[in-house]
Amino acid sequence: MGIIGDVLSWIGNLIWGAIQWLLEGIGNFIQTLIDIIVAFFQVIYDLIQGLLYLLYMIGVIAVKLFQVLLEAGGLLWSLAVGFARTLGSLAYSPQSSGGHGYSDMVGRLFDNLTPLQLEPIAYILLFAIWFTTAIGAMKLISSIRVGGD
């Protein structure tokens, strides 16, 4: 059985080598296919992640814009309230209060300046200052646009 055994051994090794080569080729092909599929799904995952991050940042910008508009509205409301209180206090008569030492001095100053009749001029100037400030602030706040100048 020497020669026949050697031939059968050689044929067995040849078949075993062919089977190993075929299995290795199939394994490499499947690994390449899996790598391509994983890369494809990784791209899709990254795309979805990017879109979700974009939506998140749009939400952040919307919240910040809402906060800015809320603060601008609060500023405009404070200005309107101050303007209305100024208009309502045109009949102001100074009187002393127990707040600080300047109240009595200001009251005496107004009493001494009463003969000059500067009160109407002061009220007109006070109204003009507040009116100009209110109109300027309303123009400034109304000129704020999203992305505009």
Side-chain angles (χ1 to χ4, degrees):
M1 288 245 350
I3 294 179
I4 294 177
D6 288 341
V7 169
L8 287 178
S9 175
W10 178 79
I11 290 175
N13 286 338
L14 183 67
I15 292 173
W16 180 246
I19 290 173
Q20 283 183 335
W21 175 80
L22 185 63
L23 289 177
E24 186 177 319
I26 292 172
N28 287 339
F29 176 74
I30 291 175
Q31 184 63 43
T32 304
L33 191 63
I34 289 174
D35 289 344
I36 290 172
I37 291 172
V38 166
F40 175 74
F41 284 115
Q42 184 67 35
V43 167
I44 290 175
Y45 173 75
D46 289 343
L47 198 92
I48 292 171
Q49 184 180 7
L51 288 174
L52 290 176
Y53 184 72
L54 177 69
L55 288 175
Y56 168 74
M57 291 313 277
I58 288 172
V60 168
I61 289 173
V63 167
K64 293 293 184 186
L65 181 64
F66 179 74
Q67 287 176 345
V68 166
L69 292 176
L70 186 66
E71 291 296 324
L75 181 68
L76 185 62
W77 179 255
S78 297
L79 187 67
V81 167
F83 187 65
R85 286 184 182 169
T86 300
L87 287 177
S89 68
L90 287 178
Y92 174 73
S93 61
Q95 49 185 321
S96 63
S97 67
H100 48 75
Y102 294 109
S103 298
D104 185 44
M105 182 61 73
V106 170
R108 283 193 282 163
L109 182 67
F110 281 151
D111 288 339
N112 290 333
L113 291 177
T114 303
L116 297 177
Q117 296 181 349
L118 296 175
E119 290 151 347
I121 296 171
Y123 288 134
I124 291 171
L125 289 176
L126 181 66
F127 176 76
I129 289 171
W130 268 101
F131 188 75
T132 306
T133 303
I135 296 299
M138 287 179 199
K139 283 183 179 180
L140 179 68
I141 291 173
S142 68
S143 71
I144 297 174
R145 294 185 190 143
V146 179
D149 42 287

PDB file of all heavy atoms in Angstrom, residues 55-73:
ATOM      1  N   LEU A  55     -32.752  69.289  14.057  1.00  0.00           N
ATOM      2  CA  LEU A  55     -34.040  69.615  14.674  1.00  0.00           C
ATOM      3  C   LEU A  55     -33.859  70.137  16.097  1.00  0.00           C
ATOM      4  O   LEU A  55     -34.543  71.081  16.519  1.00  0.00           O
ATOM      5  CB  LEU A  55     -34.937  68.374  14.688  1.00  0.00           C
ATOM      6  CG  LEU A  55     -35.499  67.940  13.339  1.00  0.00           C
ATOM      7  CD1 LEU A  55     -36.255  66.634  13.484  1.00  0.00           C
ATOM      8  CD2 LEU A  55     -36.391  69.016  12.761  1.00  0.00           C
ATOM      9  N   TYR A  56     -32.936  69.553  16.838  1.00  0.00           N
ATOM     10  CA  TYR A  56     -32.655  70.022  18.198  1.00  0.00           C
ATOM     11  C   TYR A  56     -32.156  71.465  18.184  1.00  0.00           C
ATOM     12  O   TYR A  56     -32.612  72.298  18.968  1.00  0.00           O
ATOM     13  CB  TYR A  56     -31.623  69.098  18.848  1.00  0.00           C
ATOM     14  CG  TYR A  56     -31.056  69.632  20.134  1.00  0.00           C
ATOM     15  CD1 TYR A  56     -31.816  69.635  21.296  1.00  0.00           C
ATOM     16  CD2 TYR A  56     -29.768  70.150  20.191  1.00  0.00           C
ATOM     17  CE1 TYR A  56     -31.300  70.128  22.482  1.00  0.00           C
ATOM     18  CE2 TYR A  56     -29.244  70.640  21.361  1.00  0.00           C
ATOM     19  CZ  TYR A  56     -30.014  70.624  22.502  1.00  0.00           C
ATOM     20  OH  TYR A  56     -29.498  71.130  23.659  1.00  0.00           O
ATOM     21  N   MET A  57     -31.241  71.778  17.275  1.00  0.00           N
ATOM     22  CA  MET A  57     -30.701  73.136  17.224  1.00  0.00           C
ATOM     23  C   MET A  57     -31.760  74.142  16.741  1.00  0.00           C
ATOM     24  O   MET A  57     -31.764  75.297  17.185  1.00  0.00           O
ATOM     25  CB  MET A  57     -29.464  73.188  16.326  1.00  0.00           C
ATOM     26  CG  MET A  57     -28.274  72.456  16.934  1.00  0.00           C
ATOM     27  SD  MET A  57     -27.976  72.843  18.666  1.00  0.00           S
ATOM     28  CE  MET A  57     -27.064  74.337  18.519  1.00  0.00           C
ATOM     29  N   ILE A  58     -32.654  73.711  15.854  1.00  0.00           N
ATOM     30  CA  ILE A  58     -33.757  74.593  15.452  1.00  0.00           C
ATOM     31  C   ILE A  58     -34.641  74.880  16.664  1.00  0.00           C
ATOM     32  O   ILE A  58     -35.087  76.015  16.864  1.00  0.00           O
ATOM     33  CB  ILE A  58     -34.553  73.955  14.293  1.00  0.00           C
ATOM     34  CG1 ILE A  58     -33.736  74.011  12.999  1.00  0.00           C
ATOM     35  CG2 ILE A  58     -35.891  74.657  14.096  1.00  0.00           C
ATOM     36  CD1 ILE A  58     -34.349  73.249  11.844  1.00  0.00           C
ATOM     37  N   GLY A  59     -34.874  73.888  17.490  1.00  0.00           N
ATOM     38  CA  GLY A  59     -35.638  74.094  18.718  1.00  0.00           C
ATOM     39  C   GLY A  59     -34.937  75.039  19.678  1.00  0.00           C
ATOM     40  O   GLY A  59     -35.567  75.900  20.296  1.00  0.00           O
ATOM     41  N   VAL A  60     -33.627  74.904  19.801  1.00  0.00           N
ATOM     42  CA  VAL A  60     -32.862  75.800  20.677  1.00  0.00           C
ATOM     43  C   VAL A  60     -32.961  77.239  20.171  1.00  0.00           C
ATOM     44  O   VAL A  60     -33.167  78.180  20.951  1.00  0.00           O
ATOM     45  CB  VAL A  60     -31.383  75.341  20.765  1.00  0.00           C
ATOM     46  CG1 VAL A  60     -30.513  76.404  21.409  1.00  0.00           C
ATOM     47  CG2 VAL A  60     -31.282  74.050  21.548  1.00  0.00           C
ATOM     48  N   ILE A  61     -32.827  77.419  18.850  1.00  0.00           N
ATOM     49  CA  ILE A  61     -32.932  78.755  18.273  1.00  0.00           C
ATOM     50  C   ILE A  61     -34.339  79.315  18.487  1.00  0.00           C
ATOM     51  O   ILE A  61     -34.498  80.499  18.800  1.00  0.00           O
ATOM     52  CB  ILE A  61     -32.560  78.728  16.780  1.00  0.00           C
ATOM     53  CG1 ILE A  61     -31.058  78.511  16.634  1.00  0.00           C
ATOM     54  CG2 ILE A  61     -32.964  80.010  16.079  1.00  0.00           C
ATOM     55  CD1 ILE A  61     -30.604  78.288  15.206  1.00  0.00           C
ATOM     56  N   ALA A  62     -35.361  78.466  18.339  1.00  0.00           N
ATOM     57  CA  ALA A  62     -36.735  78.925  18.546  1.00  0.00           C
ATOM     58  C   ALA A  62     -36.951  79.375  19.989  1.00  0.00           C
ATOM     59  O   ALA A  62     -37.587  80.406  20.241  1.00  0.00           O
ATOM     60  CB  ALA A  62     -37.717  77.818  18.172  1.00  0.00           C
ATOM     61  N   VAL A  63     -36.408  78.626  20.933  1.00  0.00           N
ATOM     62  CA  VAL A  63     -36.549  79.009  22.340  1.00  0.00           C
ATOM     63  C   VAL A  63     -35.819  80.323  22.620  1.00  0.00           C
ATOM     64  O   VAL A  63     -36.353  81.211  23.292  1.00  0.00           O
ATOM     65  CB  VAL A  63     -36.027  77.877  23.258  1.00  0.00           C
ATOM     66  CG1 VAL A  63     -35.861  78.349  24.690  1.00  0.00           C
ATOM     67  CG2 VAL A  63     -36.969  76.687  23.207  1.00  0.00           C
ATOM     68  N   LYS A  64     -34.605  80.461  22.083  1.00  0.00           N
ATOM     69  CA  LYS A  64     -33.848  81.701  22.298  1.00  0.00           C
ATOM     70  C   LYS A  64     -34.569  82.892  21.665  1.00  0.00           C
ATOM     71  O   LYS A  64     -34.631  83.975  22.249  1.00  0.00           O
ATOM     72  CB  LYS A  64     -32.433  81.585  21.711  1.00  0.00           C
ATOM     73  CG  LYS A  64     -31.570  80.582  22.425  1.00  0.00           C
ATOM     74  CD  LYS A  64     -31.260  81.025  23.826  1.00  0.00           C
ATOM     75  CE  LYS A  64     -30.311  80.028  24.477  1.00  0.00           C
ATOM     76  NZ  LYS A  64     -30.083  80.318  25.869  1.00  0.00           N
ATOM     77  N   LEU A  65     -35.118  82.701  20.466  1.00  0.00           N
ATOM     78  CA  LEU A  65     -35.853  83.767  19.799  1.00  0.00           C
ATOM     79  C   LEU A  65     -37.093  84.135  20.604  1.00  0.00           C
ATOM     80  O   LEU A  65     -37.404  85.325  20.762  1.00  0.00           O
ATOM     81  CB  LEU A  65     -36.239  83.332  18.380  1.00  0.00           C
ATOM     82  CG  LEU A  65     -36.995  84.347  17.548  1.00  0.00           C
ATOM     83  CD1 LEU A  65     -36.112  85.567  17.291  1.00  0.00           C
ATOM     84  CD2 LEU A  65     -37.437  83.746  16.239  1.00  0.00           C
ATOM     85  N   PHE A  66     -37.778  83.129  21.146  1.00  0.00           N
ATOM     86  CA  PHE A  66     -38.943  83.407  21.986  1.00  0.00           C
ATOM     87  C   PHE A  66     -38.544  84.194  23.225  1.00  0.00           C
ATOM     88  O   PHE A  66     -39.247  85.122  23.622  1.00  0.00           O
ATOM     89  CB  PHE A  66     -39.627  82.096  22.379  1.00  0.00           C
ATOM     90  CG  PHE A  66     -40.818  82.281  23.261  1.00  0.00           C
ATOM     91  CD1 PHE A  66     -42.008  82.767  22.762  1.00  0.00           C
ATOM     92  CD2 PHE A  66     -40.736  81.975  24.619  1.00  0.00           C
ATOM     93  CE1 PHE A  66     -43.105  82.948  23.581  1.00  0.00           C
ATOM     94  CE2 PHE A  66     -41.817  82.160  25.444  1.00  0.00           C
ATOM     95  CZ  PHE A  66     -43.013  82.642  24.928  1.00  0.00           C
ATOM     96  N   GLN A  67     -37.422  83.834  23.838  1.00  0.00           N
ATOM     97  CA  GLN A  67     -36.967  84.564  25.021  1.00  0.00           C
ATOM     98  C   GLN A  67     -36.628  86.013  24.683  1.00  0.00           C
ATOM     99  O   GLN A  67     -36.966  86.932  25.440  1.00  0.00           O
ATOM    100  CB  GLN A  67     -35.742  83.873  25.620  1.00  0.00           C
ATOM    101  CG  GLN A  67     -36.059  82.580  26.320  1.00  0.00           C
ATOM    102  CD  GLN A  67     -34.819  81.870  26.829  1.00  0.00           C
ATOM    103  OE1 GLN A  67     -33.702  82.179  26.434  1.00  0.00           O
ATOM    104  NE2 GLN A  67     -35.008  80.897  27.712  1.00  0.00           N
ATOM    105  N   VAL A  68     -35.974  86.226  23.533  1.00  0.00           N
ATOM    106  CA  VAL A  68     -35.638  87.599  23.128  1.00  0.00           C
ATOM    107  C   VAL A  68     -36.902  88.401  22.883  1.00  0.00           C
ATOM    108  O   VAL A  68     -37.024  89.552  23.326  1.00  0.00           O
ATOM    109  CB  VAL A  68     -34.727  87.576  21.873  1.00  0.00           C
ATOM    110  CG1 VAL A  68     -34.642  88.936  21.232  1.00  0.00           C
ATOM    111  CG2 VAL A  68     -33.344  87.080  22.237  1.00  0.00           C
ATOM    112  N   LEU A  69     -37.866  87.805  22.164  1.00  0.00           N
ATOM    113  CA  LEU A  69     -39.114  88.515  21.896  1.00  0.00           C
ATOM    114  C   LEU A  69     -39.901  88.760  23.177  1.00  0.00           C
ATOM    115  O   LEU A  69     -40.530  89.816  23.334  1.00  0.00           O
ATOM    116  CB  LEU A  69     -39.952  87.739  20.888  1.00  0.00           C
ATOM    117  CG  LEU A  69     -39.386  87.671  19.473  1.00  0.00           C
ATOM    118  CD1 LEU A  69     -40.266  86.802  18.593  1.00  0.00           C
ATOM    119  CD2 LEU A  69     -39.230  89.054  18.878  1.00  0.00           C
ATOM    120  N   LEU A  70     -39.867  87.805  24.112  1.00  0.00           N
ATOM    121  CA  LEU A  70     -40.542  87.997  25.395  1.00  0.00           C
ATOM    122  C   LEU A  70     -39.903  89.149  26.173  1.00  0.00           C
ATOM    123  O   LEU A  70     -40.619  89.988  26.748  1.00  0.00           O
ATOM    124  CB  LEU A  70     -40.483  86.702  26.200  1.00  0.00           C
ATOM    125  CG  LEU A  70     -41.272  86.684  27.503  1.00  0.00           C
ATOM    126  CD1 LEU A  70     -42.764  86.773  27.213  1.00  0.00           C
ATOM    127  CD2 LEU A  70     -40.968  85.423  28.289  1.00  0.00           C
ATOM    128  N   GLU A  71     -38.584  89.196  26.182  1.00  0.00           N
ATOM    129  CA  GLU A  71     -37.899  90.305  26.872  1.00  0.00           C
ATOM    130  C   GLU A  71     -38.179  91.638  26.190  1.00  0.00           C
ATOM    131  O   GLU A  71     -38.363  92.659  26.851  1.00  0.00           O
ATOM    132  CB  GLU A  71     -36.397  90.035  26.928  1.00  0.00           C
ATOM    133  CG  GLU A  71     -36.014  88.891  27.843  1.00  0.00           C
ATOM    134  CD  GLU A  71     -36.345  89.159  29.301  1.00  0.00           C
ATOM    135  OE1 GLU A  71     -36.232  90.313  29.745  1.00  0.00           O
ATOM    136  OE2 GLU A  71     -36.739  88.204  29.983  1.00  0.00           O
ATOM    137  N   ALA A  72     -38.194  91.651  24.855  1.00  0.00           N
ATOM    138  CA  ALA A  72     -38.502  92.894  24.128  1.00  0.00           C
ATOM    139  C   ALA A  72     -39.933  93.327  24.420  1.00  0.00           C
ATOM    140  O   ALA A  72     -40.207  94.520  24.604  1.00  0.00           O
ATOM    141  CB  ALA A  72     -38.292  92.694  22.629  1.00  0.00           C
ATOM    142  N   GLY A  73     -40.865  92.362  24.478  1.00  0.00           N
ATOM    143  CA  GLY A  73     -42.247  92.694  24.824  1.00  0.00           C
ATOM    144  C   GLY A  73     -42.354  93.222  26.250  1.00  0.00           C
ATOM    145  O   GLY A  73     -43.109  94.162  26.510  1.00  0.00           O
TER     146      GLY A  73
END
